Amino acid sequence: MENLLNKSIYNFKKSLFKRLGLLVVVFTITLTSVLLYQFEFNFTTKDTMIDTHEYYFYSEMVGDWGSPPDTLKIIKELDNLKMWGGIFKRNQYDICGNCGGLEEDISNCTLDSVSYNQFPAENQGIACPGDVYWSTLPEELDINEVYTWSISTDLSEKYDIQISREVFFGDISGYPVTVVDGDEFLFYLIIDYITPGEERNIVIAFLLAFIFILGLYFFIRRYLRPVQLMKNRINALEEGDLKSTIKILGEDELADLSKSINKLIRQVDTLLEDKHQLLLEVSHELRSPLARMQFLIEMLPEHKNSLKLRQEVNFLEGMIDNLLLSDRLSMPYSKLEFKKIKITDLVFKVLELFPIKKNRIEIKNSLIEEYLLIDETKFIISIRNLLDNALKYGGNKKIQFIIQKNENIEFHVKDFGIGISKDKLEKIMEPFYQTDQSVSNIGFGLGLTICKKIIESHKGSLKINSKEGEGSTFSIFMPIPK
């Protein structure tokens, strides 16, 4: 039995859905109970049977005061009940709405009386207070402002309970009032207490609901904390972090998922390291015969193909270097060393890479005092590749290097050479793709691929506009540093 209980507890701890389900059930039952209690206790009609009993006891209490009423006894009882009292001669409304008699002729109504239309004939004969017999009522309370909401005759007939006097429940200016019709006198009994308004009950109900919802939010947030940790880990992975791990919380499905993600990232890290190591080993193995070939070429007597052999060897060495660089820049695991650099200094360093051809580069820089947050070395490589392509395919014409600021910081490299056709624009950034093999300075087909990887790793973008026979514009859009 104990083992079965322990197994059930373990299965419950392992299941996130069971715990959340139980939490929702407890929350729903608790909130529903509280709301039902509030509505039942504060927003529904009181038990009418109890009201009928109250009518009876008020009627009997007034009857016990005698006729004429014993004011000493009244004072004693009302002090004990914390009530104010007032006894008035019993009058009736007339047809004109006057309290004091039965007026048969409407034409005799006084000017200050209520008009016939305002006081219907059926209200004639209703009891109203006349002269004061005795009173402890505060002067500021106007007994003519009684709002009646319950009459004893309605309930006495319903429950077949004999009540000797007619009793009214109502209020005056928020104070609960009871009026007892004693045939000769009208008794006004007012409780010295103003009941709280409905607004208070509504506020309490909403406050309790808010507290429960807030508590539910914190419980769910605590249980789903591993989801946030996984999200943070994925963000770190996108930034190149392959070493850190997700903290394991609990023993449920999310804990198992966190462990699986940690294992997966370790495997990815291992695969990338193996891949990089393989490229290094292959490049080393390739460089060794290339070095021997270069040495043997130098040992050979001069021949008309000696220059071509040297160029081919240099071409292969450059391809190996670019392959390694392209691998290091592979997204999303590229690691950048960001620093703040002035754009004018960046332009100067780029031009130094073209000591012979820099007179062919026309600079238009409108951002003299602006800065960029970049990995300087890699970003310069991307600009160099674009300028190199423009010089290579732009013929002998000058090229333009334009730097400006709109929604982003923009670098535009514009040439006026052979241009690129639309069908080739879609493939130009693919590795090893070259638009025109007839050009004398054939490259490796990796320059734009490397450039694109560098720009995207900086959260920027690279766009190309070209028209065949008129030239091309390569544009870099970099986010403005905050």
Side-chain angles (χ1 to χ4, degrees), residues 285-423:
E285 294 300 321
L286 289 174
R287 287 180 191 278
S288 297
L290 285 176
R292 291 194 294 270
M293 288 169 62
Q294 197 166 15
F295 177 74
L296 291 173
I297 290 170
E298 295 300 328
M299 294 292 292
L300 289 174
E302 275 303 318
H303 188 271
K304 62 179 182 179
N305 292 325
S306 296
L307 180 60
K308 289 184 179 180
L309 288 171
R310 292 190 184 95
Q311 289 177 343
E312 291 298 328
V313 171
N314 292 333
F315 179 84
L316 288 173
E317 286 184 345
M319 181 177 286
I320 292 169
D321 291 337
N322 278 276
L323 281 171
L324 291 174
L325 178 59
S326 178
D327 177 65
R328 287 196 297 269
L329 293 173
S330 293
M331 293 291 290
Y333 308 111
S334 57
K335 296 182 180 180
L336 304 176
E337 297 178 1
F338 286 98
K339 69 177 181 179
K340 204 172 184 180
I341 181 170
K342 200 171 184 179
I343 291 178
T344 50
D345 295 337
L346 177 68
V347 173
F348 177 76
K349 291 180 179 180
V350 170
L351 289 178
E352 282 188 330
L353 299 175
F354 301 92
I356 299 175
K357 298 181 181 180
K358 67 179 179 181
N359 59 330
R360 288 183 55 198
I361 302 174
E362 181 183 351
I363 306 295
K364 294 182 179 180
N365 182 15
S366 60
L367 307 180
I368 305 301
E369 298 299 326
E370 293 283 345
Y371 286 81
L372 268 181
L373 187 63
I374 55 174
D375 184 313
E376 182 181 359
T377 302
K378 292 184 175 64
F379 195 78
I380 287 176
I381 289 173
S382 66
I383 299 293
R384 182 202 67 187
N385 287 351
L386 293 183
L387 290 173
D388 189 50
N389 279 346
L391 291 169
K392 185 187 303 181
Y393 295 99
N396 295 322
K397 299 176 184 178
K398 280 193 172 184
I399 66 171
Q400 292 181 354
F401 185 26
I402 304 167
I403 304 165
Q404 60 190 28
K405 181 178 179 182
N406 290 304
E407 295 180 358
N408 299 284
I409 293 178
E410 303 173 3
F411 298 85
H412 303 280
V413 177
K414 185 175 183 179
D415 67 64
F416 303 92
I418 61 176
I420 307 168
S421 62
K422 289 184 179 180
D423 59 320

Side-chain angles (χ1 to χ4, degrees), residues 19-284:
R19 285 186 288 160
L20 284 178
L22 179 63
L23 191 64
V24 170
V25 170
V26 171
F27 168 78
T28 303
I29 293 174
T30 306
L31 183 60
T32 304
S33 301
V34 170
L35 291 178
L36 284 175
Y37 172 81
Q38 285 290 319
F39 279 107
E40 184 66 25
F41 186 79
N42 294 296
F43 300 110
T44 59
T45 305
K46 294 181 180 179
D47 188 358
T48 52
M49 176 60 81
I50 295 176
D51 288 345
T52 309
H53 291 171
E54 286 189 53
Y55 287 136
Y56 176 82
F57 287 118
Y58 273 116
S59 175
E60 295 302 310
M61 182 176 68
V62 168
D64 195 42
W65 289 343
S67 181
D70 185 349
T71 55
L72 292 177
K73 186 175 184 179
I74 293 171
I75 291 172
K76 182 178 179 182
E77 287 194 2
L78 294 186
D79 284 344
N80 180 53
L81 296 173
K82 303 297 186 292
M83 298 178 76
W84 299 317
I87 305 174
F88 300 86
K89 288 287 185 178
R90 186 185 189 279
N91 288 338
Q92 295 180 352
Y93 287 111
D94 62 18
I95 198 170
C96 300
N98 295 318
C99 183
L102 294 174
E103 189 67 51
E104 298 295 338
D105 187 359
I106 298 176
S107 62
N108 294 329
C109 295
T110 58
L111 294 176
D112 59 347
S113 67
V114 181
S115 71
Y116 178 75
N117 290 332
Q118 292 174 309
F119 192 86
E122 58 264 23
N123 288 339
Q124 178 184 352
I126 293 178
C128 60
D131 296 334
V132 179
Y133 175 81
W134 173 88
S135 175
T136 60
L137 299 175
E139 293 183 1
E140 64 270 15
L141 292 181
D142 186 354
I143 60 171
N144 293 310
E145 294 183 353
V146 175
Y147 170 73
T148 303
W149 44 264
S150 179
I151 304 174
S152 61
T153 52
D154 296 336
L155 296 179
S156 63
E157 294 175 359
K158 178 179 179 180
Y159 294 111
D160 193 22
I161 295 176
Q162 300 299 317
I163 301 175
S164 57
R165 296 165 187 81
E166 194 168 34
V167 183
F168 303 85
F169 285 161
D171 68 72
I172 299 177
S173 302
Y175 288 95
V177 60
T178 301
V179 181
V180 181
D181 188 346
D183 294 331
E184 185 181 355
F185 297 97
L186 289 179
F187 297 83
Y188 282 74
L189 307 173
I190 299 177
I191 300 174
D192 183 12
Y193 173 74
I194 297 179
T195 57
E198 299 296 335
E199 297 81 6
R200 176 174 175 272
N201 296 325
I202 293 173
V203 169
I204 291 174
F206 275 105
L207 183 61
L208 288 174
F210 175 76
I211 291 172
F212 276 115
I213 291 171
L214 191 64
L216 181 65
Y217 165 76
F218 283 113
F219 272 115
I220 291 177
R221 184 177 178 182
R222 178 177 176 272
Y223 284 131
L224 297 183
R225 174 64 178 161
V227 176
Q228 183 63 45
L229 294 177
M230 281 183 257
K231 180 182 177 182
N232 295 340
R233 183 65 190 92
I234 297 301
N235 291 337
L237 181 63
E238 290 179 353
E239 294 175 1
D241 181 7
L242 286 163
K243 302 300 180 185
S244 60
T245 58
I246 302 171
K247 184 179 179 181
I248 307 301
L249 301 176
E251 300 176 345
D252 53 28
E253 293 93 333
L254 290 178
D256 293 339
L257 181 58
S258 299
K259 293 175 183 177
S260 298
I261 291 176
N262 285 338
K263 182 179 179 181
L264 178 63
I265 293 175
R266 285 195 300 269
Q267 291 174 344
V268 170
D269 186 30
T270 301
L271 288 173
L272 289 174
E273 289 290 341
D274 291 345
K275 172 191 168 186
H276 186 63
Q277 186 62 36
L278 177 62
L279 281 173
L280 288 175
E281 292 174 358
V282 169
S283 65
H284 179 268

Side-chain angles (χ1 to χ4, degrees), residues 1-11:
M1 186 67 179
E2 185 177 351
N3 291 335
L4 183 61
L5 179 62
N6 291 335
K7 185 177 180 181
S8 300
I9 294 173
Y10 177 78
N11 290 334

